[in-house]
Amino acid sequence: RRVGRGRDGDTVTRAPSTRSTASDTDGFIKEIFGDISSGNIPPETIASRAILAPRNEDVNEVNKTAIDMFPGQETEFLSVDMSTDPEMGHLLVPEFLNTLQPSNLLASPPISCV
């Protein structure tokens, strides 16, 4: 794989142990984390691994696919659209807060964490 859009001639080669053989996102997630749907993966295993992606939209796709693999019913936690900081509260109005899209949260105001 070339770095710098192939203009500078640098090449990045990944070690064989870091190459994926998965053909889709589901397979890639299982390769990294194991069978999440079994419910038998220790939380420490999940917390000690990561999938990196170059764009937030790729991260969102991988996160949604992984969340859908977990067993049981999902619970959604919604954000609060106000600041508790008395000095900054007048600057952090709901209209501004709802434009933010943190890469690890789903993008729909109010921001949700599943």
Side-chain angles (χ1 to χ4, degrees):
R1 183 182 258 188
R2 290 205 168 278
V3 176
R5 298 184 185 163
R7 290 185 284 227
D8 59 21
D10 292 335
T11 302
V12 175
T13 304
R14 292 182 279 177
S17 64
T18 64
R19 294 181 186 153
S20 173
T21 59
S23 60
D24 61 7
T25 304
D26 286 18
F28 186 64
I29 292 168
K30 287 178 183 173
E31 206 172 88
I32 303 300
F33 295 105
D35 186 12
I36 295 173
S37 64
S38 72
N40 296 324
I41 306 288
E44 300 81 27
T45 299
I46 293 173
S48 68
R49 299 173 185 191
I51 296 175
L52 303 178
R55 300 177 307 168
N56 284 348
E57 62 191 58
D58 297 328
V59 171
N60 291 340
E61 177 189 339
V62 171
N63 284 345
K64 177 160 180 13
T65 302
I67 287 169
D68 290 345
M69 291 177 162
F70 281 96
Q73 187 161 345
E74 65 184 42
T75 302
E76 182 177 21
F77 299 92
L78 299 176
S79 66
V80 176
D81 293 342
M82 61 186 241
S83 171
T84 57
D85 184 338
E87 293 181 24
M88 296 295 292
H90 68 286
L91 297 173
L92 302 174
V93 295
E95 294 79 13
F96 169 72
L97 294 172
N98 286 331
T99 65
L100 302 177
Q101 183 182 351
S103 63
N104 59 339
L105 299 175
L106 301 176
S108 58
I111 294 174
S112 63
C113 180
V114 180

